[in-house]
Amino acid sequence: MITVIIPAYNSEAYICRCLDSLLEQTYRDWEAVVIDDGSTDSTPEIVGRYMESDQRFRLISIANSGQSTARNIGLEAARGEWISFLDSDDAFRPTMLEVLLSAAQTTGAPISSVGYEIVREIPTVQESQSSQSQAVTIVDGRDGLLDILYQTPGGISPSVWDKLWNRKFIGGERFLDGVYYEDLEFSARLVSRADKVAIVTEKLYYYVATPGSFLHTFSERRFDSLKVTLKMEQDFHSDPESLRATRERTMSAAFNILWLLTINSDRRHRYNDMARRCWTVIRERRLASILNRRVRLKNRCAALLSYLGPSVTEAALRLGNRFMFFRPHQTY
């Protein structure tokens, strides 16, 4: 059985399409554990109606504690051999669970992964190909970790929701409480310990990008990306290649925060300390970024641009955002 863990907070506008996507799954042996994270709207009542008609749905209500805590509570409550995560504003395509499980079982991998599609609205669902016809690529955990850290196109993403996780393999590992970007740290930590990861490139997860979503609004919580990557540098310090890659991810986080502060110039003066911290990180790492061929071209160009100083760099970030040729995309 697969346990699908769904954190939900004030999700009444879209949780039905999320739960309906589970009912449409070609793989039927699943349970859905919805963690209502202190919603003040009708989210728990909506979930309750699904529970009345299908016993595979379960609801756990908690005081508002954040997504990390909600996911950890879901892990404690899970009864399945396998774990999947689904955000309440997103949806699975019909064969997602079938494809993930088939890839994991045929390869013996403790983690399997599929692609995702970024949409503004869930399109009319089209049946995907049978899981039996999917080409599966296998990578070892260290290569998977480097994919995550270097944000390799077509590689393993840092997200937890496009993957299937063996519950025994997860064991007692949990998300960091009290921080955002917990996906990145959790995925990197567990993927690095896997002997192999099975990858199917077909896009079977719908990631819904809405104007009000976390990654499209200004929030001090976005600064947690730097906190998380700096912690990861400590975790991977014993492996030079992994440390090198993690330092590049810290560099990316610093530029992302700097971009965020730059396009929200009315708030820039309130966060001068954070901007200075980002510039310290950039100055320490920019030469290594430029010389590292695994770093994305966009990031290497930004590192080179930084030598012209904060004023020129931040002006270029504003201009790039205006014409959409520099707009960092991070879904972790």
Side-chain angles (χ1 to χ4, degrees):
M1 182 171 70
I2 297 175
T3 296
V4 183
I5 297 172
I6 308 173
Y9 174 72
N10 287 351
S11 305
E12 64 180 10
Y14 36 75
I15 196 166
C16 285
R17 71 187 181 196
C18 169
L19 302 183
D20 286 344
S21 76
L22 286 176
L23 294 173
E24 294 166 351
Q25 290 299 298
T26 55
Y27 179 79
R28 307 295 297 171
D29 189 15
W30 53 261
E31 65 166 355
V33 180
V34 181
I35 313 299
D36 176 48
D37 191 23
S39 295
T40 58
D41 65 2
S42 63
T43 296
E45 288 76 20
I46 293 172
V47 178
R49 292 198 291 270
Y50 279 81
M51 293 169 61
E52 290 174 359
S53 59
D54 194 322
Q55 294 183 352
R56 291 176 296 178
F57 291 101
R58 297 162 57 197
L59 174 66
I60 299 175
S61 295
I62 62 173
N64 184 249
S65 305
Q67 186 163 258
S68 296
T69 299
R71 284 174 168 167
N72 286 338
I73 290 173
L75 285 171
E76 295 295 334
R79 297 186 293 221
E81 178 186 357
W82 296 89
I83 302 293
S84 178
F85 296 93
L86 174 58
D87 286 354
S88 61
D89 53 349
D90 297 339
F92 289 162
R93 291 193 68 177
T95 59
M96 172 143 171
L97 293 180
E98 181 187 356
V99 169
L100 283 169
L101 185 60
S102 175
Q105 290 180 332
T106 57
T107 62
I111 305 170
S112 59
S113 174
V114 295
Y116 63 89
E117 183 176 357
I118 302 172
V119 298
R120 293 202 177 275
E121 293 184 0
I122 303 297
T124 301
V125 175
Q126 300 293 325
E127 283 295 332
S128 304
Q129 296 176 334
S130 166
S131 63
Q132 302 301 316
S133 64
Q134 300 303 308
V136 182
T137 302
I138 299 175
V139 300
D140 65 37
R142 188 168 183 273
D143 286 342
L145 172 66
L146 297 181
D147 278 351
I148 290 172
L149 296 175
Y150 283 122
Q151 304 170 79
T152 305
I156 299 174
S157 84
S159 303
V160 297
W161 33 251
D162 57 357
K163 299 175 180 64
L164 188 68
W165 309 80
N166 183 278
R167 185 156 68 98
K168 287 185 178 179
F169 177 74
I170 293 175
E173 300 292 337
R174 295 295 182 264
F175 292 90
L176 294 176
D177 273 323
V179 298
Y180 290 82
Y181 296 92
E182 74 283 358
D183 280 31
L184 171 61
E185 193 276 338
F186 184 89
S187 292
R189 176 163 30 106
L190 269 73
V191 165
S192 70
R193 299 175 185 178
D195 60 340
K196 54 186 170 182
V197 180
I199 303 173
V200 176
T201 58
E202 187 181 11
K203 296 178 180 179
L204 298 178
Y205 187 98
Y206 287 123
Y207 173 87
V208 182
T210 59
S213 64
F214 176 61
L215 290 173
H216 292 80
T217 55
F218 181 89
S219 170
E220 289 186 29
R221 299 176 299 177
R222 301 277 296 272
F223 300 162
D224 280 358
S225 60
L226 192 60
K227 181 192 301 184
V228 166
T229 55
L230 288 171
K231 178 192 179 299
M232 291 168 60
E233 288 187 17
Q234 298 175 357
D235 294 342
F236 296 121
H237 75 278
S238 60
D239 177 12
E241 181 57 29
S242 297
L243 176 60
R244 183 185 185 197
T246 309
R247 286 173 62 85
E248 293 299 338
R249 195 53 184 256
T250 303
M251 178 79 158
S252 180
F255 263 113
N256 189 265
I257 293 171
L258 194 63
W259 167 80
L260 184 69
L261 293 175
T262 299
I263 65 171
N264 290 277
S265 56
D266 57 322
R267 313 185 196 197
R268 174 67 166 78
H269 67 282
R270 293 174 52 192
Y271 301 105
N272 284 333
D273 287 345
M274 176 54 69
R276 283 192 289 269
R277 188 179 184 192
C278 290
W279 271 105
T280 297
V281 167
I282 291 168
R283 291 187 180 103
E284 289 175 350
R285 292 161 170 76
R286 58 190 175 189
L287 180 58
S289 292
I290 293 168
L291 298 177
N292 188 343
R293 293 187 177 275
R294 286 211 60 170
V295 175
R296 296 182 301 176
L297 179 60
K298 178 178 70 174
N299 293 28
R300 294 167 72 187
C301 290
L304 185 62
L305 177 67
S306 72
Y307 280 99
L308 299 179
S311 297
V312 173
T313 302
E314 293 181 26
L317 292 177
R318 282 192 295 272
L319 184 65
N321 182 72
R322 181 178 178 183
F323 292 101
M324 298 182 67
F325 60 78
F326 184 85
R327 182 168 292 186
H329 171 63
Q330 295 176 311
T331 59
Y332 62 84

